Amino acid sequence: MNLNGTFEVRWWWRDRPVRVAVTERTALPAARRAVAGRLAALRTAESELARAHRAAGRPVPVGPLLRDLVAVALGAADASGGAVDPTVGAARLRRAAVRGLLPVCGAGPGPVGRTADWRAVTLRGELLSVPPPRWLDLGGTATAYLAQRCAEQVAVRHRTGVLVAVGSRVAAAGPAPDGGWPVAVEGGPRSLARGALVTADGHRADGGGVRDPRTGGAPTSPWAAVTVAAPDAARAAMLAVAALVRGPDGPEWLAGQGVRAWPVARPAALPQPATRW
C-alpha cells in the first residue's frame, strides 16, 4: 500500500516498466490480470500483422485486437495530417539496413526513400490489406490504446479508481485518490487525477524513439521530448508524436490543440574545437 492509500503492482514487459494501481485493494489482482492479458494478446496480433505483411497487399482476416489497433493508428494518421504514420515501419527498417544494423538482402548505402503512406493501407471490417513496400509499425499508439482500455474496463467492472502505465503511456479512470495519482514526468506534472499522460521521445539511445515518416530518422524538432495530457491516451500519443514529427512547426501546432504539454528542449550543440594540423 502507498502513502496515499492506493495499492499497486509493477513488473517489466519488453524492457518497459508496467504499473497498475487501484484505490480498492480487492480489485488489484483482477486489474493486474486484465493488463497482463492484454499485453500477452499482442503476440497474437503481431502474428496476424506478420501474415498481413506476407500477403503483399492481399486482404487477410485479423482478430478484434489487431483490427482495433490498426483502426486507432489510421485514425491518428488522419487526425495528424500524416505526421503519425503507422507505415513508418518501412522507412525505419530501410534506414537500419543502410546503417548495417539489419542483414537485409540487397541493402546498401544510399538515400532512404519515402515509403510511408498510410492511405495505402485498407481495413474493411476484419480484412486488412498492407501493400508493399509498406510496413506497419503500431508502436506510436498501440500501448497507449491498451492502457486506456484496460483502465476504463477495470474502473467500470470493479468500481475502483485505477491507473495503468505501460512505459511512457499512462491512463487513469474512475475516482482518483486524494491529490491524484503520483507520476514521474521530466518537467511535467507530479500527479494525474484523470485522463492520460503520454511522453514522446525522438532521441532514445536505443533508436526506438519517434521517427519521421519521410526519412525514418529522428525528427528535426526543437524538442528532445514532449509530454501531453489529454482525456484519452491514444489522442495524447498522437499529439505528442505529431508535435515532434512536425519539426519547427510542432510547438505552434501543438499550442493550438487545446491540451497541456510539457516539452523538453534539445540541448544546444557544443562548439567543436578547432583542428590543428
Side-chain angles (χ1 to χ4, degrees):
M1 183 176 73
N2 291 334
L3 294 178
N4 62 350
T6 62
F7 308 87
E8 68 176 61
V9 61
R10 303 188 185 210
W11 71 95
W12 288 87
W13 173 79
R14 297 184 178 180
D15 297 327
R16 302 181 194 180
V18 179
R19 175 188 175 198
V20 179
V22 295
T23 55
E24 298 294 333
R25 183 173 186 174
T26 56
L28 186 58
R32 188 193 191 287
R33 287 195 299 270
V35 175
R38 287 289 186 113
L39 294 176
L42 281 177
R43 292 190 179 277
T44 300
E46 289 166 350
S47 297
E48 294 173 348
L49 184 56
R51 187 167 65 248
H53 287 148
R54 291 193 299 269
R58 297 188 305 274
V60 297
V62 298
L65 178 56
L66 181 57
R67 179 196 62 205
D68 291 347
L69 294 180
V70 172
V72 168
L74 296 180
D78 186 26
S80 65
V84 186
D85 192 330
T87 59
V88 70
R92 187 193 294 268
L93 289 174
R94 171 61 178 162
R95 188 177 184 88
V98 168
R99 293 170 57 195
L101 301 180
L102 290 176
V104 177
C105 180
V112 179
R114 177 178 175 85
T115 56
D117 182 6
W118 64 275
R119 295 179 181 85
V121 178
T122 60
L123 179 65
R124 295 185 176 90
E126 296 182 352
L127 295 178
L128 173 63
S129 174
V130 186
R134 283 83 190 176
W135 190 275
L136 286 180
D137 183 342
L138 306 177
T141 55
T143 51
Y145 171 81
L146 289 181
Q148 184 74 48
R149 298 289 84 79
C150 285
E152 294 173 347
Q153 175 189 17
V154 171
V156 171
R157 289 186 178 180
H158 301 281
R159 299 181 180 181
T160 181
V162 59
L163 178 93
V164 176
V166 181
S168 62
R169 276 57 174 158
V170 185
D178 293 341
W181 298 100
V183 293
V185 177
E186 182 180 358
R190 296 182 181 274
S191 65
L192 176 66
R194 64 180 62 87
L197 283 173
V198 170
T199 300
D201 187 342
H203 297 274
R204 276 173 39 188
D206 62 1
V210 173
R211 289 295 174 260
D212 189 327
R214 295 164 295 188
T215 65
T220 56
S221 171
W223 294 340
V226 60
T227 298
V228 172
D232 181 87
R235 174 169 170 76
M238 181 274 290
L239 293 172
V241 172
L244 294 183
V245 172
R246 286 177 175 269
D249 298 331
E252 182 178 358
W253 175 83
L254 184 59
Q257 300 301 313
V259 296
R260 298 183 67 191
W262 298 266
V264 176
R266 293 183 64 178
L270 296 176
Q272 297 298 316
T275 301
R276 296 184 179 182
W277 298 95

